[in-house]
Amino acid sequence: MQTTPIIDAFKRVLGESNLAVGTRQTEHYRKGWRSGEGEALAVLFPHTLMQYWEVLKVCVEYNCIIIMQAAKTGLTEGSTPSGSDYDRPVVVINTLAMDDIVLVNDGTQVLSFPGATLFKLEKALKPLGRTPHSVIGSSCLGASIVGGVANNSGGALVKRGPAYTELSLFAQVDKNGELKLVNHLGIDLGDTPEEIIGNLSSGNFPKSLPETSMKASASDYEYIVRDVNADTPSRFNADPTRLYEASGCAGKIAVFAVRLDTFEVPNKEQTFYIGTNDASVLTRIRRDILTQCKNVPEVGEYLHREMFDIADVYGKDTIISIQRLGTDSLPKMFALKGRVDAVLNKLPLLPPYLSDRLMQFGSKFFSDQIPSSIRTYRDKYEHHLILKMSDGGIEEVKTLLAKLFNEEKLDGDFITCNEEEASKAFLLRFAAAGAAVRYQTLHHKQVGDILALDIALRRNDDLWVENLPEHIAKHVEKSLYYGHFFCHVFHQDYILKKGSDAKKVKADMLALLDSRGAKYPAEHNVGHLYEAESNLQKFYKDLDPTNTFNPGIGKMEKHKRNCSCCL
């Protein structure tokens, strides 16, 4: 196929400045944050919803594959091309420029355009004393609201569960290959795509909306997470109760807007830092709080000592950057780093990963970022829990912890954190994921690949501390554990030994998880790293019968469906 007419058509819609072509110009957008890379004809940057609609029409007209992309913070290669074995030209549409947010119903709900970030929403809601559906750490990296909904993002907030809505505006390609715009926002915006998009873009609709029976959040999650005796996980990617149009779509449709609930900011919050050498103590805390306390935690984050050490050293520059520059500047910094790396890694006289080496070297000149009280716990205890309670839950948990550690004399202790201790504890936890990657990057000559899994254990699984069998353990250099403890969702990063077969180790690891009744991935879409379960495959095919959007995810086929050669 001649590609020049396609490029010319994109230029007519976007102009040359909002279009990237060529290997070097598109490289940053064709590579995943941790792994994954593929070919693409072009990367498009629409700035308005109407431009977005028009470039989708061009893609469908010229039989292109469409890959939706926002901040590209996912860990499973789900928002970038994968390989070069597609049967049609691949076009990446980056949505970050379309970042409008509209507050409705006095701020109790929000309409988010496809590129709006969680951080921007946090700032918009702050004067109203409200907060988003998620304030996960990755919001500091510019994670988008729609991306969270599309990828089943769970985040750290125990009460609110995964990002979820049944109210959205999206475009899809039907079984006849025709592009359709579907308005399920619960707002009358007109009849034609042009009317709907025009009215939404201009704000020409009432900001006080009638109630609807459709959900705008996972409002039942607190009941689910409290059921600690259930033999199933609390949340996971293929959960059929969380797959609905935009929610869990993994880029199989083009989302224009989502409608989501917001939440009241607590009057008071208190963070507790808990350490123990007996994992059963943390199990006891989780079960007692979820079954006996009136208040569920705001956040409950687990960190193993070895992960503490990696984050402490290899995430130090991240902690410093957030403190000194604020979260608002980080998305631009990481995007700039990606573009710089793309250039520097091609220069043969420079060592690989030069930017990481320089940042790691520079961090050594800054003072210790961890408060002495928390560092003392690092030395004394193997297992760490960062627990944030609000309002009435503060005294409940303070009483519970005093009972467990002072009266029952269970192994461990806790700190009632001051502001600095709480801030540094959560920054350390946030830095964990990137620190694991940094460690593997800087030691690539000594160690093998990094195998990153996010898993959901059964809610009644008390044996959450992993004991790897010898046939797997012999391939692992470091096992790094951290996660959302009350949801029983864990991130497990394995730095493999040099020469170990990552695919074989992963297969053995997943077989072990299957035997335990775990689900994976827990809070990222399957991307190109996991095989989608049958119900998830059906969901994808129903959304995208021609396989136009993001083909190949979930280990599914990349070729076009419902075309003449398949009939």
Side-chain angles (χ1 to χ4, degrees):
M1 177 184 288
Q2 292 293 320
T3 58
T4 302
I6 308 176
I7 301 301
D8 289 342
F10 289 143
K11 288 180 180 178
R12 286 193 292 271
V13 175
L14 300 174
E16 291 196 29
S17 61
N18 295 322
L19 171 72
V21 294
T23 302
R24 179 164 293 186
Q25 275 192 300
T26 62
E27 182 174 9
H28 172 67
Y29 304 96
R30 294 185 292 102
K31 297 183 72 171
W33 184 52
R34 276 190 169 178
S35 62
E37 182 178 4
E39 295 182 356
L41 171 66
V43 181
L44 313 180
F45 304 92
H47 278 59
T48 68
L49 295 183
M50 193 60 73
Q51 285 184 342
Y52 188 19
W53 174 251
E54 291 297 326
V55 295
L56 286 170
K57 287 165 62 176
V58 172
C59 289
V60 173
E61 178 185 354
Y62 284 95
N63 192 30
C64 294
I65 283 170
I66 302 167
I67 295 180
M68 304 306 309
Q69 182 182 97
K72 201 164 64 77
T73 59
L75 304 180
T76 59
E77 307 177 9
S79 57
T80 52
S82 180
S84 57
D85 56 340
Y86 294 99
D87 61 344
R88 292 151 285 166
V90 176
V91 174
V92 177
I93 301 180
N94 186 286
T95 64
L96 284 180
M98 300 175 288
D99 63 349
D100 287 354
I101 290 173
V102 182
L103 302 180
V104 296
N105 294 339
D106 298 320
T108 61
Q109 289 190 324
V110 60
L111 296 180
S112 169
F113 286 19
T117 64
L118 281 168
F119 180 74
K120 183 174 181 176
L121 181 55
E122 287 177 43
K123 292 207 301 185
L125 292 174
K126 189 173 183 179
L128 304 178
R130 300 193 70 83
T131 186
H133 62 284
S134 182
V135 286
I136 55 177
S138 58
S139 63
C140 300
L141 297 178
S144 71
I145 298 165
V146 168
V149 171
N151 294 326
N152 300 103
S153 295
L157 297 181
V158 180
K159 296 178 179 178
R160 300 174 203 174
Y164 179 75
T165 186
E166 296 168 358
L167 300 163
S168 63
L169 173 68
F170 59 92
Q172 65 182 154
V173 176
D174 67 16
K175 64 181 180 180
N176 299 315
E178 296 182 8
L179 184 68
K180 304 288 185 182
L181 188 69
V182 180
N183 179 15
H184 286 168
L185 282 172
I187 308 171
D188 184 4
L189 294 169
D191 299 318
T192 68
E194 290 72 22
E195 285 179 329
I196 293 169
I197 293 171
N199 286 326
L200 179 62
S201 300
S202 64
N204 184 28
F205 57 90
K207 304 308 182 292
S208 180
L209 303 175
E211 289 188 10
T212 171
S213 61
M214 308 303 284
K215 288 186 175 184
S217 63
S219 56
D220 58 341
Y221 187 71
E222 182 174 335
Y223 302 99
I224 293 171
V225 79
R226 280 185 179 274
D227 187 2
V228 296
N229 295 315
D231 199 36
T232 56
S234 59
R235 55 179 169 93
F236 57 99
N237 182 260
D239 183 353
T241 67
R242 302 297 181 209
L243 302 176
Y244 191 94
E245 297 179 341
S247 295
C249 70
K252 298 300 284 184
I253 53 178
V255 180
F256 279 65
V258 293
R259 179 175 163 186
L260 291 161
D261 291 332
T262 68
F263 302 86
E264 284 189 68
V265 173
N267 294 317
K268 184 179 179 182
E269 292 182 327
Q270 177 63 59
T271 296
F272 301 92
Y273 196 96
I274 302 162
T276 181
N277 290 308
D278 183 354
S280 68
V281 171
L282 297 189
T283 299
R284 171 78 182 277
I285 292 171
R286 171 178 173 265
R287 293 183 68 90
D288 283 0
I289 290 177
L290 292 179
T291 59
Q292 298 176 19
C293 292
K294 293 181 180 179
N295 298 275
V296 169
E298 297 291 329
V299 181
E301 293 294 285
Y302 171 74
L303 202 63
H304 187 269
R305 178 159 52 196
E306 192 161 19
M307 186 70 256
F308 183 117
D309 291 344
I310 293 292
D312 181 22
V313 176
Y314 295 92
K316 186 177 180 180
D317 61 305
T318 299
I319 295 172
I320 294 168
S321 297
I322 295 173
Q323 282 190 297
R324 301 293 178 92
L325 303 175
T327 53
D328 205 6
S329 63
L330 284 190
K332 294 178 182 178
M333 287 176 52
F334 275 85
L336 176 62
K337 177 183 179 298
R339 288 190 288 271
V340 170
D341 286 343
V343 175
L344 295 182
N345 288 343
K346 288 183 171 61
L347 301 178
L349 298 180
L350 294 178
Y353 315 115
L354 181 60
S355 66
D356 285 285
R357 294 177 186 278
L358 290 175
M359 288 189 290
Q360 187 63 33
F361 178 75
S363 69
K364 296 178 181 179
F365 294 95
F366 288 85
S367 60
D368 188 1
Q369 298 299 300
I370 307 302
S372 59
S373 56
I374 293 178
R375 188 164 297 287
T376 297
Y377 270 47
R378 179 263 164 226
D379 295 337
K380 290 178 65 176
Y381 301 118
E382 179 182 3
H383 304 289
H384 300 246
L385 179 64
I386 310 166
L387 178 61
K388 181 189 287 187
M389 302 300 300
S390 62
D391 298 334
I394 297 172
E395 288 303 318
E396 276 191 307
V397 164
K398 189 178 293 185
T399 300
L400 173 65
L401 295 179
K403 173 177 176 288
L404 296 180
F405 292 117
N406 298 337
E407 296 179 22
E408 297 188 25
K409 305 296 184 183
L410 296 187
D411 177 82
D413 206 347
F414 71 98
I415 302 168
T416 302
C417 296
N418 59 32
E419 187 174 339
E420 182 192 12
E421 289 167 335
S423 173
K424 291 294 180 65
F426 282 113
L427 284 174
L428 181 71
R429 165 61 185 88
F430 165 68
V437 176
R438 170 74 62 78
Y439 176 88
Q440 191 274 338
T441 296
L442 297 186
H443 295 83
H444 69 281
K445 291 183 178 180
Q446 294 82 35
V447 301
D449 292 337
I450 183 171
L451 174 58
L453 303 178
D454 69 295
I455 66 168
L457 297 181
R458 294 175 290 117
R459 281 168 281 176
N460 65 353
D461 190 349
D462 291 341
L463 301 177
W464 53 272
V465 176
E466 188 172 63
N467 184 18
L468 291 176
E470 175 58 25
H471 73 281
I472 296 177
K474 67 182 181 181
H475 295 290
V476 178
E477 182 76 22
K478 285 186 179 294
S479 298
L480 306 175
Y481 301 119
Y482 54 107
H484 315 305
F485 188 65
F486 284 78
C487 301
H488 251 203
V489 167
F490 293 89
H491 297 283
Q492 300 184 172
D493 292 350
Y494 305 92
I495 310 296
L496 302 184
K497 292 182 178 179
K498 198 71 174 178
S500 291
D501 184 341
K503 290 185 178 180
K504 177 65 167 60
V505 175
K506 180 181 178 181
D508 289 344
M509 195 79 73
L510 296 184
L512 177 64
L513 292 172
D514 288 339
S515 71
R516 298 179 61 191
K519 291 287 188 179
Y520 50 83
E523 56 180 7
H524 296 275
N525 78 57
V526 289
H528 291 280
L529 298 184
Y530 298 92
E531 182 176 352
E533 296 184 10
S534 58
N535 70 298
L536 189 58
Q537 291 193 29
K538 182 180 184 302
F539 175 66
Y540 291 158
K541 289 179 180 179
D542 288 345
L543 286 179
D544 182 26
T546 62
N547 210 20
T548 296
F549 290 90
N550 214 0
I553 61 165
K555 306 289 187 180
M556 296 170 67
E557 71 275 14
K558 289 185 173 181
H559 61 74
K560 187 172 184 178
R561 291 191 296 266
N562 292 350
C563 55
S564 58
C565 63
C566 301
L567 299 177

